[in-house]
Amino acid sequence: AMGPELATQMSWKSIMIETMKLLKSKQCGSVAKTVLAQLHGRCFTLANSLEYISHVLGLGSTASAPKSRKSRVGVAKASPNPRRTSTVNGNSGEIIEWLAEITERERNMKGIDPMLEKSSLVMLINLFLSYVDHRDQRCRKNVMNGLMQAVLYGVQRLGLDLTRVMRICSGLKETNPKGWNKIYQNAQAHLE
């Protein structure tokens, strides 16, 4: 019986990372997506897997990496203007799509444990913002959907004020004010 203790196992990190990498595969992508969907909520949540998602997207190495190496720990976590990745990991569109889907799914789940905290929500939003200028139109669409779901997660699950959550997305307001306004208006409409 697999449950929340799976995410605490040493081997889980490798399993999660390798399964997410399979999302990029044309042959294995749909099976990997199904497996991750079945495990999501039961065995892992965004809160205990965001570090691995960031690692797979190439936006930071895991927290267990030695500090002496020139690693990019925290790039996705703390940067007010996350780095844009229009060419780095160009085939990560499937992972962004999956991330947007599980953000929406988790936002609607009952009794999710552990749930994202505000700092993790900032990291999640920054992951999406890092792909806002991606060369693939479908990926950019999934980024906007993911940002919308993350904003709603912050308001509905964490009890944050919509204006406050939208401030976290200020990087989008600078580069794509029309997209930022659309997310804000859609979030307002969804919350009414």
Side-chain angles (χ1 to χ4, degrees):
M2 290 188 291
E5 69 279 352
L6 180 65
T8 63
Q9 302 296 318
M10 289 297 289
S11 58
W12 175 246
K13 173 181 167 182
S14 298
I15 293 168
M16 181 74 177
I17 288 173
E18 293 305 316
T19 307
M20 283 189 290
K21 286 179 181 177
L22 288 174
L23 290 170
K24 300 177 189 181
S25 166
K26 292 201 183 303
Q27 295 170 329
C28 304
S30 63
V31 173
K33 197 175 204 176
T34 302
V35 167
L36 288 168
Q38 290 172 349
L39 296 175
H40 180 232
R42 242 179 41 202
C43 301
F44 76 92
T45 65
L46 286 170
N48 61 21
S49 62
L50 213 47
E51 176 188 348
Y52 309 142
I53 296 167
S54 176
H55 178 79
V56 171
L57 289 171
L59 297 172
S61 53
T62 61
S64 61
K67 300 293 182 197
S68 60
R69 283 193 353 218
K70 291 185 178 179
S71 64
R72 292 177 275 162
V73 173
V75 169
K77 292 180 189 172
S79 176
N81 295 314
R83 114 181 129 97
R84 306 286 186 238
T85 56
S86 57
T87 55
V88 176
N89 287 336
N91 61 347
S92 295
E94 291 80 8
I95 296 172
I96 293 294
E97 179 179 6
W98 169 78
L99 183 57
E101 289 171 5
I102 69 161
T103 302
E104 179 177 15
R105 193 174 310 128
E106 189 164 313
R107 178 178 66 81
N108 293 311
M109 280 183 181
K110 302 287 184 225
I112 196 78
D113 184 42
M115 195 165 56
L116 282 177
E117 297 175 0
K118 185 180 180 252
S119 61
S120 299
L121 179 69
V122 171
M123 182 179 176
L124 176 63
I125 288 172
N126 282 339
L127 284 174
F128 285 120
L129 288 175
S130 295
Y131 281 82
V132 78
D133 294 328
H134 195 274
R135 66 177 173 237
D136 181 45
Q137 181 181 0
R138 186 171 147 220
C139 182
R140 290 192 308 269
K141 179 180 175 257
N142 287 316
V143 164
M144 297 304 280
N145 179 41
L147 284 169
M148 171 73 172
Q149 298 307 324
V151 165
L152 291 171
Y153 190 114
V155 174
Q156 294 175 321
R157 302 291 273 180
L158 303 180
L160 300 172
D161 180 63
L162 177 60
T163 311
R164 186 174 177 193
V165 179
M166 289 306 295
R167 262 188 250 130
I168 300 170
C169 302
S170 63
L172 180 65
K173 189 174 186 177
E174 295 167 12
T175 59
N176 184 351
K178 185 177 174 184
W180 186 91
N181 282 329
K182 184 175 180 182
I183 290 173
Y184 184 68
Q185 290 169 353
N186 287 346
Q188 277 185 317
H190 187 85
L191 294 168
E192 289 175 353

